[in-house]
């Protein structure tokens, strides 16, 4: 369905050619300072070709809060937000509509809904993510208020050009400890904070653009200052909710947390994260963080970090041999010029989904505090 | 929480030292032939050191259906199943209880619940998965009945010993098309169907056992004969539900579907799965299957396949330098001998969680068929 | 929370002084013919002083579909609808804001949210129901398509003036079998189809208007052509969902189905509904219908009928002795002139909530049909 | 489905002729003192003919906690409870099975599930309520701990014999303020605290027993010491959740809160509950309580009170003219002797469902307290 979360809950709507896209965010605690200026920056970062927070001139994808705030404070009631679509008309039929686009949602939507919408797999459109980003911005503001939570995502791989994201390497953890959105955006639209790799990634993208092709990439995300105790044992482990959230983003193909796939080669004696008492924070911490900030499904207060691969964009600017809905072989014509890598644009979406997972986990954990304070 | 699914829904209970573990499965369609013999085989496979379906002698972890069936048919009402715990007494205090075990759930459970249970992170115990496996067996029987769905998981990596799981390789897809549980179990407890790699994996495990250490691995799973149209656009994409399910399994650290992480290096022109009309099945199919059987979050009828890394077991048979709950440095003594690799035992759990996701998706999609038949 | 339903699901937003009110309806089956003209009539009926479906001139509360339809067909994706608020500005402070209005939500909202919104209990505002009525209109259209379901609510009591709603009386069942919305609206804004009682009810209302007071009433609702098998045993019995829906309407104070409160005085031998075979419909039906169309929580195909009392409006045009938020005794001044009876306006809301319950139950029951067709 | 609640959540299982009945209670805060002795009393009260808490000799319906507690403390993990069925075998076919029992669930279960279970409408059996009562006892203990909440239900009507439950009468409120379970049970199995009416009610029941017939009744319930702020605006108003809960109890036909149906005849000027500052409790309270402790869907701290009618038992000890499943007219033979009034046995079920609604509302409201403390 189109709803995510239990207590901090977003419901999105909208596809490419309807009047508007947006969402309702329910369960936002009352009294939080909030207006559109808290939400617009991430929406702007989501737009194609944008990177700086500071270029709202000639704004598109402008969000309007409909409800749930008064005098720039949340009321505790549902917050509805809308962003108007510029192109609101379903397009006319063209020969290309005979073809389900390869690796798109056209075919599967037809199998699911048994009808052909103008925009093919309508909800598979990237515009659907606008509602998520808007909702995530509210979640993020809430998390900042209660625990100074910081969420920063960045591009760590484009095609074969990879940043080192070895969890057993101190440099990687230094990066995770210090990276900021400003540093990410400082490298321009590529959004890779590694100043050596960033230009190589740009080159990689340009190569595929030249070939009228596309290329994939990986987004890595870190969350700092996470309260301990978030997440549920069993089905709703914190990493399970994060994986759910990440795999719900269009074009994502996976998820790994902490040491991830690479970690399986490291024996337990090295992979385990031993504890020590940290005088600065006056609490138990772990020496290493191969767990990625979550143990037994519950946050331990260390950095949460994870990576998400995004496939090469399915829409490409060259011909493709394929078949029509009716089963006839043919060639799907090239159409316009397309962004050869959508990975950098996924950054604010990854951040938003992360914030939504954490805000919900915070509210759920809060509901248990009786046990600690009263019942004992 | 301890509930998974919307219409086909399991709720589990139980930890290591309580009276029993088990589950309630709600939403199972009525009229399905079912008794304990449908459920016990996977529970037996879940037990340590077991591999063959055919050794139920001297059975442990014996399941008892409490409700929801009559004369070996499901009634449509909730099916409760219980498995008794052998060791039902909370253990006595020992010095080891002063230490939160590294990379275990002891510390995070304390942060979450503010109390110290006898079994530390109780619900993080592998025994919790018994309820899942029992529920999954029912889901699987249902899926077989309606569409002959086949779910087979196998070990594809132990430590540095890897089977080739290159999605661009025809041999890999041949394996996915033909692998059966019998073939998986034929290689013994290692559960790797590659007869060259299997003994090397066994050796790898033995190496770490000799070092009183542990080692991780990867489980790969394929689902054949999946109906088209399963999964929801937006948040509950089929791969998002699978990722959620897999990351909820203890010790899992990631998930990748179809081409996964490797796929980001393949340009769109090669990565896209073109369509062709398949005369045998009389429907549109894809030439390649880098999508892993899901496009836009919805199943396209091709094989669904994905991989899940499991970390090296946190419980090891050697001393560990760490700290007590109170923050004192110390050495957590070695305790007994432990299984150096839990990956092979994850096989039936991965299969069960897969079945639960798919059965729920089937029921949800079924509820939409008005649109197709009546409303048009 | 602000979401209702499992598969056919509405989420509403908005309060009195925000930009707009509205909803997202998720889970509407694809292919249903739908545009604003299906929705506006009930919204118009919901407005003060309206009764005829045919007076859309100078329309207010005009609904705009934002998403989920194309060429007047539903896509299967979420349908967002908005209605603009005319008065979008939070009002200025007045002395009256010192007082929580008696029997309003001002005090309880303050206890819940710990802040004072301009519109007091904002979501308790009747404007919140606009989203419900819009969503209900879609549910109703769906129900008509699949089973010609008819839902008609009417005023059966105002103050001490009561229509006979004795479930053991044939005349009452004749009324339930034949009442239509046209007949209900034919009596004008009072919406009572009993042409003798209707003018007495109008008089009753006028009496209280003259006294600057208010008076309550009862709404009775019948649903015809309900498919059998709807509703779940145990917690989500169909009557439980209806009761939940009805008690969620502002100012409602109760619910009774079938013989209701009066039925407890009738012995089982007379109260039981015996079966007979009905040749016209070629199925088993019941001779009487004290059950109100639901047995064991599941619809039996007979008329569903129930009644809902609405309290006398809390806002009255006379002074009230009460206390301020700060606990000081005082007199809350009279303010303007207010509608002495809101009961007739509840009609379309009762119909909408009924439709939402039934549409969801239909989808859930549909998901079970495997059991019947395939598994047996 | 068989699950109730969002954060404090019960899932029940079981029917008449299966091995056991019971439930899983998820979301119970950790650290609560709990063992079987907290649960058994209400289960014992639920059994036929029982009234005193103090007769556990020769116990039947004995509950066993399976999980979720250790050393008599809750762990925060799911608490599973089971009660064995004495008669575990599906009964043999008899001629009576040809007939759907009038006003029972036999016919509707057949329509829903398309199969005939041995026990007819299996989950419609009163045994299903055992899981609810067990879960409710835990909820109640939690509520007592955090706010000394008291929940007392009693029989207020049997057939035509009624206690006065006029909300505008001070005597009624005195009763609500002072009634205890001991006082309720002091009148014996009739459970009516009015010592004049109780014997008349017993006589009424005896009359119908003599006629091999049955008779209905009304249960009234009061909740004292309810925290303010519980319940959600819009769909999940506290009274809507209570109505949902009450109408989910077998044989219930309605619900009214506060002034209920009678209140519609009282003008707003008298019906409104004005505020005053109560020095004893140092907070705003209401002079009258026609609202029944809930305004705008949210608890205001006054007594919550409501009434629920239960129909005359459908199973009677006399012949009934009706039809077979196949549509043939016939006479359903009388069978054994049956309890002519089930109303008194509903008392602990009403109390349990009330506790479940409130415990869930408390946890949900707790999750919002950030807004109050931190964000402002």
């Amino acid at each position: 369905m189109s709803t995510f979360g239990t207590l901090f809950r977003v419901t999105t709507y909208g596809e490419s050619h309807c009047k508007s896209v947006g969402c309702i965010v329910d369960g936002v605690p009352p009294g939080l300072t909030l207006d559109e200026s808290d939400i617009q920056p991430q929406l702007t970062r989501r737009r194609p070709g944008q990177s700086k927070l500071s270029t709202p001139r000639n704004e598109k994808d402008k969000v309007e809060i409909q409800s749930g705030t008064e005098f720039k404070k949340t009321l505790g009631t549902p917050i509805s937000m809308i962003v108007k679509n510029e192109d609101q008309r379903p397009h006319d039929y063209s020969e290309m509509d005979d073809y389900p686009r390869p690796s798109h949602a056209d075919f599967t939507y037809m199998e699911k809904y048994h009808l052909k919408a103008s925009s093919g797999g309508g909800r598979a459109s990237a515009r659907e993510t606008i509602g998520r980003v808007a909702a995530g911005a509210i979640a993020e503001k809430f998390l900042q208020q209660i625990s100074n939570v910081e969420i920063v995502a960045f591009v760590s791989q484009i095609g074969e050009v990879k940043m080192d994201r070895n969890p057993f390497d101190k440099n990687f953890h230094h990066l995770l400890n210090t990276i900021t959105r400003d540093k990410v955006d400082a490298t321009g639209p590529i959004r890779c904070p590694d100043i050596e790799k960033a230009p190589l990634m740009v080159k990689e993208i340009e190569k595929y653009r030249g070939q009228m092709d596309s290329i994939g990439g990986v987004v890595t995300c870190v969350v700092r200052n996470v309260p301990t105790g978030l997440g549920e044992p069993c089905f709703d482990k914190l990493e399970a909710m994060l994986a759910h959230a990440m795999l719900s983003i269009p074009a994502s193909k996976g998820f790994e947390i902490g040491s991830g796939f690479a970690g399986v080669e490291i024996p337990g004696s090295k992979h385990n994260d031993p504890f020590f008492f940290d005088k600065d924070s006056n609490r138990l911490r772990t020496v290493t963080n191969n767990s990625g900030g979550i143990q037994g499904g519950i946050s331990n207060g260390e950095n949460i970090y994870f990576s998400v691969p995004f496939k090469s964009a399915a829409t490409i600017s060259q011909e493709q041999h394929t078949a029509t809905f009716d089963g006839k072989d043919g060639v799907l014509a090239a159409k316009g010029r397309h962004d050869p890598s959508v990975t950098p644009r996924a950054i604010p979406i990854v951040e938003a989904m992360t914030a939504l997972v954490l805000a919900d986990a915070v509210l759920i954990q809060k509901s248990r505090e009786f046990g600690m304070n009263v019942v004992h």
Side-chain angles (χ1 to χ4, degrees), chain A residues 207-263:
Chain A
K207 183 178 82 182
Y208 288 102
R209 190 195 307 275
Q211 297 167 2
M212 297 196 298
D213 211 336
S214 66
I215 193 65
V218 174
V219 170
T220 296
C221 183
V222 63
V223 193
R224 296 188 292 260
N225 303 328
V226 184
T228 60
L230 305 188
E232 299 288 305
C234 201
F235 298 114
D236 295 342
K237 290 184 167 75
L238 194 56
E239 65 266 48
M241 298 312 296
L242 287 168
H244 184 149
M246 294 306 135
L247 269 294
S248 79
I249 301 175
S252 70
K253 299 299 289 179
F255 173 83
E256 63 178 2
I257 186 158
S259 63
F261 278 88

Side-chain angles (χ1 to χ4, degrees), chain A residues 91-348:
Chain A
H91 72 248
D92 292 330
Y93 169 82
S94 91
E95 204 185 326
M96 285 169 60
D97 293 333
D98 290 341
Y99 290 90
R101 288 165 295 168
S103 291
H104 259 280
D106 301 347
F107 173 69
T108 53
Y109 268 61
M110 178 62 93
E111 290 295 303
K112 186 172 192 68
Y113 294 126
H114 292 226
L115 53 77
K116 210 150 109 188
S118 163
S119 41
R123 289 282 284 169
S125 150
R127 279 197 79 72
E128 179 274 328
T129 62
I130 285 177
R132 306 180 184 217
V133 170
I138 298 178
E140 208 177 334
K141 180 126 200 217
F142 168 65
L143 293 166
Q144 285 164 355
Q145 292 273 336
I146 59 149
S147 178
N148 198 27
V149 172
E150 295 171 338
I151 304 170
V152 185
F154 54 91
V155 172
S156 63
Q157 181 174 348
I158 292 290
E160 296 181 357
V161 184
K162 304 181 197 187
M163 279 177 62
D164 193 1
R165 50 177 200 265
N166 180 356
F168 305 99
D169 179 356
K170 285 199 173 177
N171 290 331
F172 179 62
H173 287 286
H174 178 72
L175 176 78
L176 297 182
N177 281 326
T178 56
I179 186 80
T180 63
R181 284 192 192 162
D182 278 349
K183 288 181 188 171
V184 170
D185 287 343
T187 58
I190 192 64
R191 288 175 175 155
C192 169
D194 182 325
I195 53 173
E196 286 180 29
K197 293 288 167 58
L200 298 177
M201 289 180 182
V202 172
K203 219 181 227 171
E204 183 87 346
I205 292 176
E206 291 313 317
K207 183 178 82 182
Y208 288 102
R209 190 195 307 275
Q211 297 167 2
M212 297 196 298
D213 211 336
S214 66
I215 193 65
V218 174
V219 170
T220 296
C221 183
V222 63
V223 193
R224 296 188 292 260
N225 303 328
V226 184
T228 60
L230 305 188
E232 299 288 305
C234 201
F235 298 114
D236 295 342
K237 290 184 167 75
L238 194 56
E239 65 266 48
M241 298 312 296
L242 287 168
H244 184 149
M246 294 306 135
L247 269 294
S248 79
I249 301 175
S252 70
K253 299 299 289 179
F255 173 83
E256 63 178 2
I257 186 158
S259 63
F261 278 88
V264 307
E265 303 184 17
I266 311 298
S269 60
K270 288 198 181 65
H271 190 274
N272 281 353
D273 296 320
F275 292 96
F276 75 101
F277 186 79
D278 179 48
K279 284 176 190 163
D280 290 346
S281 57
N282 197 34
R283 63 182 183 85
L284 226 50
R285 295 196 49 194
T286 64
V287 178
T288 52
N289 183 15
N290 297 318
S291 299
I294 303 176
Q295 289 170 330
I298 301 163
S299 63
N300 67 358
E302 305 298 323
N303 289 344
I304 292 177
Y305 64 97
F306 55 85
S307 293
V308 183
F310 289 88
K311 69 174 184 178
S312 303
T315 306
I316 53 178
S317 311
Q318 56 178 273
E319 290 184 342
Q320 297 182 79
H321 288 262
T322 181
T324 63
F325 279 105
D326 293 341
K328 290 182 201 123
D329 276 8
V331 173
L332 177 59
K335 178 188 163 189
R337 294 194 69 79
H338 294 283
D339 199 346
S341 179
V342 295
T343 308
R345 287 183 62 196
I347 298 291

Side-chain angles (χ1 to χ4, degrees), chain A residues 50-61:
Chain A
Q50 299 293 328
S51 65
K52 297 295 286 178
L53 298 179
S54 50
T55 55
R57 213 168 359 130
N58 211 343
E59 194 72 78
K60 295 185 178 186
D61 287 351

